[in-house]
Amino acid sequence: MQATRNRLIFKSPWMNPRSVSHAEFYDPGYLVVCDGHIEELTDIDPRPRLATAEFHDLTGFAILPGFVDTHVHLPQFSYMGIGSKSLPDWLTNYTYPEEARFSDPDYAWRMSEAFFDALIANGPTRACIYCSVHDTATDIAFEVASRKGIRAFIGKTMMDRNAPPPLFETTESSIRASVSLCSRWDGAAGGRLRYVFTPRFAGTCSMDLMRETARIAQQRQAFIQSHLSENEDEVQWIRSLFPERASYTDVYGSAGMLGERTIMAHCVHLADPEVALLAATQTNIVFCPYSNRVLRSGTMPYGKLQAAGLKIALGSDVAAGPSLSMFRQMGEALNSANVKSACLSPAGALYLATLAGADVLGLAGRIGNFEPGKDADFVVVDYDRADPLSGTGHYTAPADILSRLCYNGDSNCVKAVYATGMRVSPP
Ligand SMILES: [Zn+2]
């Protein structure tokens, strides 16, 4: 006997990103979900041929794919919105003291619960997350992520030099703890959870640590995440630490860290040979415009990096970025990318926050938009909250709604979040 299939139909205006320059709009559209996966998205009412499917009328709300936040720090959640100093001061005065508190498992539990509730409530159904250096706190983050239903790449930060004493680890202990976490968690919860090796950045990692991490990640086909060229003072410092290397990017290149499973956040101050090296190695880039503005790090040359063929996604970089809202990141991306010329549209910002993030994580075939067969990850959006006339004015075309969400949207616009067809927020 064939098992009964759980088929659902959601009726709503839909926004379906296809590329950095194109999104499809369905108003109304009907999304058919079967056993957690997308069966079809159509503008023809499918109920006459799918009479037994459970019908959900979400007219009045827009539906977008689940967001992908490709760069966020869990231990920094508590001071989000505080401390807009330059990067070195901010690390010393805010980041390191707070991350040291994660040596206490009770504190790590409390912060992980709060962080994941807030993250999911903002719409991400996938995220790439930094924890502190503590392996127990990282275990806790995985356990909480598993229970909340989010899909996540999570890694223990690695630092074997230039770290304050409470966060310092030896090269061997850092690698041993990371490998152990990878063995416990990579592919856990039915594949929903992945381990990502997380050498913080070249300033706090020895060449030995980076080389061995790259070798192990390659062996395990695991991802690596780190920071690259965020701030001009940082770039000078890295140059002084590695005078034998041609550039900051070349430090990672010589460590073997660059490649299609590597995710480098920021990339604000890159020379042309560095851009070419990132392109040649197919290294992924995370655009963190809100963080870059708040810490006065500079402006990532989005148009230039995109023209070079780099894969670029969007990250909140909480807490340097002061908000978990992907709408806020989309608006900041537009402001940042279009300073000199218009090279990013609202449809492009939606792409960066969804399908591009999926692509960077190697998941473009599984999530990111509403193609049949993909996971039914989506966000139900109360778009009238971003409209000064609450939907009663003349500017209510789908493109107008998307533009407003980029510039005026925030967590208040997120009505519900679904992952593989199951509602994960509100719980
Ligand atoms: Zn960061």
Side-chain angles (χ1 to χ4, degrees):
M1 198 175 87
Q2 203 171 8
T4 307
R5 311 201 77 182
N6 181 25
R7 187 173 275 113
L8 311 167
I9 299 171
F10 297 88
K11 177 188 177 189
S12 182
W14 291 80
M15 299 183 182
N16 191 28
R18 285 291 186 184
S19 71
V20 74
S21 58
H22 178 56
E24 296 170 341
F25 298 108
Y26 295 78
D27 188 14
Y30 300 83
L31 187 82
V32 183
V33 174
C34 187
D35 296 337
H37 295 92
I38 293 160
E39 206 164 67
E40 63 179 309
L41 176 57
T42 174
D43 54 5
I44 300 169
D45 191 344
R47 283 176 288 176
R49 57 188 169 82
L50 299 172
T52 60
E54 188 179 304
F55 179 67
H56 296 257
D57 188 351
L58 296 173
T59 302
F61 303 102
I63 300 194
L64 282 60
F67 293 128
V68 184
D69 186 346
T70 46
H71 186 83
V72 58
H73 296 258
L74 185 159
Q76 299 178 12
F77 171 67
S78 66
Y79 62 97
M80 192 168 66
I82 298 173
S84 58
K85 299 190 172 189
S86 71
L87 177 65
D89 287 341
W90 188 77
L91 286 172
T92 302
N93 295 319
Y94 291 91
T95 302
Y96 292 155
E98 178 62 17
E99 291 195 3
R101 295 193 178 104
F102 282 70
S103 62
D104 174 0
D106 290 340
Y107 190 73
W109 272 113
R110 193 153 61 86
M111 289 302 114
S112 293
E113 293 277 352
F115 168 79
F116 281 108
D117 283 344
L119 179 73
I120 299 167
N122 275 282
T125 51
R126 296 264 180 179
C128 200
I129 299 165
Y130 286 62
C131 292
S132 63
V133 296
H134 309 98
D135 49 356
T136 302
T138 308
D139 277 323
I140 290 168
F142 271 109
E143 288 184 29
V144 175
S146 175
R147 186 157 36 79
K148 302 285 184 189
I150 193 170
R151 282 76 175 134
F153 286 60
I154 301 174
K156 180 198 101 61
T157 291
M158 307 171 85
M159 293 199 283
D160 71 338
R161 67 171 176 169
N162 299 319
L167 298 175
F168 177 79
E169 44 183 9
T170 65
T171 308
E172 293 72 25
S173 66
S174 183
I175 291 168
R176 191 168 53 244
S178 299
V179 169
S180 177
L181 282 160
C182 184
S183 297
R184 281 200 291 286
W185 291 107
D186 195 36
R192 284 197 290 113
L193 301 176
R194 294 292 315 269
Y195 191 73
V196 51
F197 286 89
T198 307
R200 182 174 216 125
F201 75 121
T204 58
C205 297
S206 68
M207 183 56 83
D208 285 348
L209 177 78
M210 292 189 284
R211 282 201 171 126
E212 185 62 3
T213 298
R215 188 188 68 76
I216 294 168
Q218 174 69 22
Q219 194 178 52
R220 291 175 172 249
Q221 302 280 290
F223 275 72
I224 298 173
Q225 61 179 349
S226 193
H227 298 83
L228 170 60
S229 202
E230 176 176 358
N231 167 291
E232 283 181 323
D233 290 343
E234 170 213 4
V235 173
Q236 294 303 325
W237 185 45
I238 301 301
R239 193 163 289 161
S240 72
L241 290 174
F242 298 92
E244 71 283 9
R245 303 310 332 167
S247 66
Y248 194 163
T249 305
D250 183 47
V251 171
Y252 292 136
S254 69
M257 278 175 54
L258 303 180
E260 61 185 0
R261 284 190 298 276
T262 294
I263 302 164
M264 285 292 172
H266 300 301
C267 300
V268 174
H269 309 282
L270 296 177
D272 289 348
E274 296 182 272
V275 176
L277 180 55
L278 293 170
T281 53
Q282 300 180 50
T283 302
N284 301 288
I285 303 304
V286 185
F287 186 18
C288 303
Y290 208 174
S291 159
N292 295 156
R293 185 157 71 98
V294 170
L295 288 190
R296 297 183 296 284
S297 299
T299 303
M300 191 192 88
Y302 171 81
K304 177 180 169 181
L305 299 189
Q306 206 225 356
L310 295 176
K311 277 196 217 171
I312 304 170
L314 203 52
S316 67
D317 193 24
V318 158
S323 171
L324 283 168
S325 169
M326 292 305 284
F327 292 128
R328 301 297 291 272
Q329 316 308 326
M330 289 157 67
E332 290 288 333
L334 291 169
N335 290 332
S336 174
N338 296 332
V339 165
K340 289 184 179 162
S341 62
C343 56
L344 185 68
S345 65
L350 175 64
Y351 169 79
L352 291 182
T354 55
L355 191 54
D359 201 17
V360 157
L361 296 177
L363 296 168
R366 294 221 23 209
I367 56 167
N369 65 5
F370 299 118
E371 281 178 26
K374 289 190 175 182
D375 293 356
D377 290 5
F378 57 88
V379 186
V380 181
V381 176
D382 184 355
Y383 55 84
D384 281 352
R385 284 179 174 265
D387 182 341
L389 295 178
S390 302
T392 61
H394 296 294
Y395 304 98
T396 56
D400 297 334
I401 291 170
L402 178 58
S403 182
R404 277 209 173 101
L405 286 171
C406 289
Y407 290 112
N408 300 336
D410 59 23
S411 60
N412 290 320
C413 297
V414 177
K415 176 87 175 163
V417 182
Y418 287 74
T420 53
M422 307 267 293
R423 198 172 77 177
V424 292
S425 181

